[in-house]
Amino acid sequence: MNRLKQTAGEWIAFIKAPTLNLPMSEQSAIKDVAWLFALNCLIVTAIAAVLFPAMMLLDIEMSSDMSELFKRPVWQILGIVVIVGPIMEEIIFRSWINGNPRLLIIFGAIVAWFGGSHLLALSGITADTMVSTIAVATVIALAALFGVFRCWKAPVPNWYARIFPIIFWIQALFFGFIHVFNYAGDNPLALLPFVLPQLIGGLIWGYARVRYGWWSNIIMHMAYNMIATSGLLYMLFTGGDLISS
């Protein structure tokens, strides 16, 4: 219990003032991450004790996309939700937040690709869409490759360290917000309370990424999704109705 209190105290101190300069732990990193995951589960369980009855009372259901996902075979659901989803989300949201210049460049390239693809779609180009897409992808990839080699051994930029607290909270808030689309409803703002577990995940997994490295946040995200998905599958197989028709 003392170790859990210590873990909670360290995490709370971090989210109050996020920093890249974290002290090295005297404990085993694996044990630290295990205690951090236990804290994650306790907080989410406490939140779920309030949110789950509210979901039942308000008749909150899964979105159509989530409904279709949970109609797949179990092995596909677990593969997508427990393995592919966490890896992709952690790459996009937290792989770069430690300020490594190479990872910042790759993240910038991913953002540029999504932005460029969106602009191409809005431009109405039809005949040369494939050529334009390949051209944009090539330019972005070459620029990213040049930047990665140029900054291979560069330290964390000073400007990034100064604004890191803002960046840390933005990634956590945005990560939580996008999960509002897991639920059916015309008003995303009304569904925001139901993404509190994901917000907590963004705060805890982001802390783990900075303190222990990329493996810790991915492992915790996978384990969390495994527990949550197993619970949903159990409910669905035993007659629970969280899926919209």
Side-chain angles (χ1 to χ4, degrees), residues 96-144:
W96 50 274
I97 65 168
N98 67 342
N100 184 307
R102 300 193 302 274
L103 297 177
L104 288 175
I105 290 169
I106 293 172
F107 174 70
I110 293 173
V111 172
W113 163 246
F114 280 112
S117 300
H118 184 63
L119 289 175
L120 281 176
L122 291 178
S123 68
I125 298 174
T126 55
D128 298 326
T129 299
M130 183 61 69
V131 175
S132 300
T133 301
I134 293 174
V136 170
T138 301
V139 170
I140 292 173
L142 289 175

Side-chain angles (χ1 to χ4, degrees), residues 178-191:
I178 64 166
H179 285 84
V180 77
F181 299 106
N182 288 354
Y183 304 101
D186 297 327
N187 185 1
L189 293 179
L191 297 172

Side-chain angles (χ1 to χ4, degrees), residues 5-68:
K5 290 180 180 179
Q6 179 183 342
T7 300
E10 292 170 350
W11 173 66
I12 291 171
F14 175 83
I15 63 174
K16 285 181 177 179
T19 177
L20 292 170
N21 298 317
L22 291 174
M24 296 297 294
S25 173
E26 296 179 359
Q27 307 287 335
S28 164
I30 296 177
K31 290 182 179 178
D32 280 0
V33 171
W35 281 109
L36 193 57
F37 184 66
L39 175 66
N40 191 170
C41 292
L42 285 174
I43 295 174
V44 171
T45 299
I47 293 172
V50 176
L51 292 184
F52 190 74
M55 289 179 67
M56 299 296 100
L57 181 64
L58 299 174
D59 198 24
I60 303 295
E61 297 179 330
M62 290 182 184
S63 67
S64 58
D65 288 341
M66 289 294 289
S67 297
E68 290 302 315

Side-chain angles (χ1 to χ4, degrees), residues 83-105:
I83 299 176
V84 177
I87 291 175
M88 294 302 297
E89 289 183 346
E90 292 305 315
I91 287 174
I92 293 171
F93 284 95
R94 281 171 283 278
S95 63
W96 50 274
I97 65 168
N98 67 342
N100 184 307
R102 300 193 302 274
L103 297 177
L104 288 175
I105 290 169

Side-chain angles (χ1 to χ4, degrees), residues 153-183:
K153 294 184 178 180
V156 175
N158 291 331
W159 62 265
Y160 184 87
R162 286 195 296 270
I163 66 172
F164 174 72
I166 298 173
I167 290 174
F168 178 82
W169 272 96
I170 287 176
Q171 66 82 24
L173 290 169
F174 189 63
F175 177 74
F177 175 77
I178 64 166
H179 285 84
V180 77
F181 299 106
N182 288 354
Y183 304 101

Side-chain angles (χ1 to χ4, degrees), residues 43-44 47 51 176 191-202 224:
I43 295 174
V44 171
I47 293 172
L51 292 184
L191 297 172
L192 284 179
F194 299 101
V195 300
L196 280 174
Q198 286 82 9
L199 172 60
I200 294 299
Y224 174 87

